[in-house]
Amino acid sequence: MKSIDKGYINGEFVTLHGTQVFDLISPTDHQLIGQVTLGDETDVERAVTAAKAAFKSFRKSTIAERIQLLQQLKEAVSKNTTELTEVMIQEYGGTRQFCTMSTMMSLSNFDSLIETLQHFEFERKAGNTLVQMTPVGVVGIITPWNASNGFICSKLATAIAAGCTVVVKPSEMSALQTQVLTAIIHEAGLPKGLFNVVNGLGNVVGTAITTHPDIAKISFTGSTITGKQIAKTAVDTIKRVTLELGGKSPNIILEDADFEKAIPQAVFGAYMNSGQACVAPTRLLVPKAKLDIVNQLAKAAAENVVVGNPTNDATNVGPMVSEKQYERVQNYIKIGMEEGATLLTGGPGKPAGLENGNFVKATIFTNVSNDMRIAREEIFGPVLSIIPYENEDDAIAIANNTTYGLAAYVTSADESRAVKVAAQIEAGRVCVNGFKHDPQAPFGGFKQSGLGREFGAFGLEEYLEPKSILV
Ligand code: NAD
């Protein structure tokens, strides 16, 4: 069992003022795998003081110096990918397949920001005026448990590119993963105070960050409900706020698509990161006339999904992160059945032989109506809703009939037709014919899926204040 009893402040692992201890329980077998000491307001104060002092000099760093730091971080992370992947599997229960990819994506953030910096214009002209893009200040980074180190890496890389310093509050359920990453970042040798970490609860450490007058911006990834709370709290000091929130992403399969290929892909996609992915395509929109064949293909695909121990190479769906998350998903399965959706496969309870962990059966509901709660609310587990549509306009209307707007997917034999449909979807990212990622493309939500964008030049702008100098 590991004990994480220190924070990382001003370039050192330091004993925290906070004393509350939080148990880290394995999602796979419910064994106690670690304990983390949680910080408090005093610890946040120390971390912000360090970040504020470091900002004084780091704001003046050159582009070449920032690129050098990003390269150092990339090298340090790339030497430790195995350790980062293993601790993610152990603590979070993410599958080996997903955690391996997630670690590689963490690395790609450094490359992406280096590339962005090589072209980014920090000085521009507007009319006759010189516009300088200046670093916003100390950034409070608050992250969720579902790809914790990936979010810390992408937000830290962007902050460094902008000339900002940071105070990070990861999910209390990600302490082992954060510890591994923090040790790696420590070895990379950043200037003291640039990167600080305080473990703690959202309503203590999180609130201390979102209310602190010396924090200029919050970069938050997490649930919509917490994002709203953070936006309200941050307004008192007029912080800049970037919110990456939840989703209920539609996956439109047009009638000309290759269903034999598209439906299994849609099922496996919905279960990405064991269903605990903000961009998971959890609403599968299919032509009503093809519902029978879709049901057959989807059921067969779900029966091929391997739910099990996340360390095994073949596992597609691991356990839910916590018992609370397991109960939440079970509750939605019950709601789906009560609402009258047809349970196609999976359902309540744990798969046989997996009773010791937070495992959920790979579940599909069909004949789902878009006004049911299972079609409207983010479940964050391996539960897919198949929703039939009448025609293309109906599909677009259903896709957009949601409070969310993070991602969407369109599949068609005719790519230009799919792009025309994509243009009508209210979502920050629409993937055509498959699941894609581009670390340079802006990422973020329409509607209640978020505010602002991350990644590449668009993400960098969110950490900068334009200053007009009129001579
Ligand atoms: P969460 O909102 O419960 O917690 C996220 C973080 O916020 C945690 O560190 C938590 O301690 C902290 N927090 C909680 N209350 C706070 C408060 N009052 N003030 C400040 N901080 C507070 O989310 P979660 O359950 O950890 O993660 C799952 C959610 O994250 C899902 O809704 C998912 O869709 C979303 N998510 C979004 C994206 C995206 O890029 N849009 C990516 C991953 C996850």
Side-chain angles (χ1 to χ4, degrees):
M1 194 193 74
K2 290 182 189 133
S3 172
I4 313 292
D5 59 357
K6 296 204 163 39
Y8 186 75
I9 297 175
N10 207 26
E12 287 171 32
F13 288 93
V14 297
T15 301
L16 293 171
H17 179 265
T19 52
Q20 193 184 339
V21 172
F22 180 85
D23 286 342
L24 301 165
I25 308 290
S26 161
T28 306
D29 59 13
H30 290 168
Q31 296 296 307
L32 181 68
I33 52 172
Q35 287 188 317
V36 54
T37 303
L38 304 174
D40 63 12
E41 293 82 355
T42 306
D43 298 309
V44 171
E45 191 60 45
R46 281 170 75 193
V48 175
T49 302
K52 193 179 168 191
F55 180 64
K56 270 192 191 152
S57 51
F58 192 58
R59 65 180 306 165
K60 296 180 198 142
S61 55
T62 64
I63 303 306
E65 286 164 345
R66 295 177 199 174
I67 288 177
Q68 175 60 34
L69 290 180
L70 291 168
Q71 249 150 6
Q72 284 166 225
L73 281 170
K74 183 193 156 187
E75 275 161 35
V77 171
S78 65
K79 275 192 227 145
N80 294 282
T81 51
T82 306
E83 205 189 343
L84 286 163
T85 303
E86 293 303 326
V87 71
M88 186 173 177
I89 297 170
Q90 183 201 22
E91 182 178 40
Y92 165 57
T95 64
R96 182 167 298 287
Q97 296 171 0
F98 179 79
C99 296
T100 305
M101 186 199 65
S102 177
T103 303
M104 288 306 148
M105 276 174 75
S106 307
L107 263 178
S108 73
N109 291 305
F110 301 115
D111 276 334
S112 170
L113 265 303
I114 289 170
E115 195 188 324
T116 303
L117 276 181
Q118 281 157 349
H119 306 286
F120 194 82
E121 292 183 331
F122 282 90
E123 294 211 336
R124 306 171 191 177
K125 275 285 196 141
N128 293 321
T129 299
L130 171 66
V131 180
Q132 292 180 330
M133 302 299 284
T134 60
V136 67
V138 178
V139 179
I141 292 176
I142 301 178
T143 51
W145 39 256
N146 69 333
S148 176
N149 282 342
F151 297 124
I152 295 174
C153 285
S154 69
K155 291 173 195 291
L156 171 65
T158 315
I160 289 175
C164 296
T165 60
V166 307
V167 175
V168 180
K169 191 213 89 65
S171 165
E172 60 279 10
M173 281 187 279
S174 309
L176 297 179
Q177 296 163 81
T178 313
Q179 181 73 7
V180 170
L181 181 67
T182 305
I184 293 167
I185 293 174
H186 178 71
E187 286 305 314
L190 299 180
K192 281 187 189 306
L194 191 163
F195 169 73
N196 306 275
V197 180
V198 182
N199 285 309
L201 298 177
N203 60 359
V204 180
V205 171
T207 302
I209 289 174
T210 57
T211 53
H212 202 292
D214 290 333
I215 290 192
K217 170 190 169 70
I218 300 292
S219 178
F220 170 75
T221 298
S223 61
T224 295
I225 188 159
T226 305
K228 289 179 185 178
Q229 184 60 46
I230 285 176
K232 282 180 195 156
T233 313
V235 80
D236 283 340
T237 43
I238 313 286
K239 291 190 198 323
R240 282 68 189 130
V241 178
T242 304
L243 303 174
E244 293 292 351
L245 309 177
K248 194 74 196 178
S249 301
N251 186 1
I252 301 178
I253 313 295
L254 294 172
E255 83 290 341
D256 63 357
D258 175 353
F259 279 64
E260 303 272 338
K261 188 174 158 214
I263 299 303
Q265 200 175 52
V267 170
F268 277 83
Y271 298 157
M272 68 169 82
N273 198 4
S274 309
Q276 299 171 121
C278 53
V279 292
T282 49
R283 289 187 296 147
L284 179 57
L285 276 49
V286 299
K288 200 177 218 169
K290 299 223 174 180
L291 188 59
D292 286 344
I293 182 72
V294 167
N295 287 343
Q296 281 172 38
L297 291 166
K299 190 168 192 295
E303 283 163 3
N304 280 331
V305 169
V306 180
V307 181
N309 191 317
T311 57
N312 296 342
D313 287 340
T315 299
N316 306 116
V317 173
M320 304 294 96
V321 69
S322 61
E323 286 190 83
K324 186 175 162 208
Q325 187 64 18
Y326 169 83
E327 291 302 340
R328 176 185 159 89
V329 178
Q330 291 299 318
N331 190 41
Y332 273 109
I333 293 174
K334 193 167 143 254
I335 289 169
M337 293 165 73
E338 285 167 4
E339 284 179 312
T342 308
L343 182 63
L344 189 63
T345 186
K350 294 184 181 178
L354 293 169
E355 292 78 7
N356 291 338
N358 308 323
F359 294 94
V360 173
K361 293 177 190 164
T363 297
I364 301 179
F365 284 104
T366 189
N367 280 319
V368 175
S369 148
N370 198 50
D371 56 12
M372 292 178 180
R373 282 185 65 192
I374 55 166
R376 304 203 74 75
E377 298 174 21
E378 189 182 49
I379 299 174
F380 233 51
V383 182
L384 172 65
S385 291
I386 300 178
I387 305 174
Y389 66 78
E390 298 288 346
N391 53 39
E392 191 178 296
D393 286 344
D394 189 34
I396 294 165
I398 294 171
N400 289 336
N401 184 354
T402 168
T403 54
Y404 291 112
L406 188 60
Y409 306 83
V410 185
T411 301
S412 166
D414 176 353
E415 192 178 285
S416 63
R417 180 182 174 201
V419 171
K420 279 189 200 133
V421 171
Q424 297 172 73
I425 307 289
E426 296 157 1
R429 174 165 289 198
V430 190
C431 295
V432 169
N433 290 339
F435 304 109
K436 329 253 159 153
H437 177 68
D438 181 347
Q440 288 290 331
F443 178 75
F446 282 28
K447 301 193 270 187
Q448 294 190 30
S449 282
L451 196 65
R453 292 293 179 271
E454 295 198 292
F455 301 159
F458 288 91
L460 180 53
E461 299 238 338
E462 306 268 337
Y463 287 67
L464 298 165
E465 289 277 20
K467 182 199 289 178
S468 296
I469 300 187
L470 291 85
V471 180

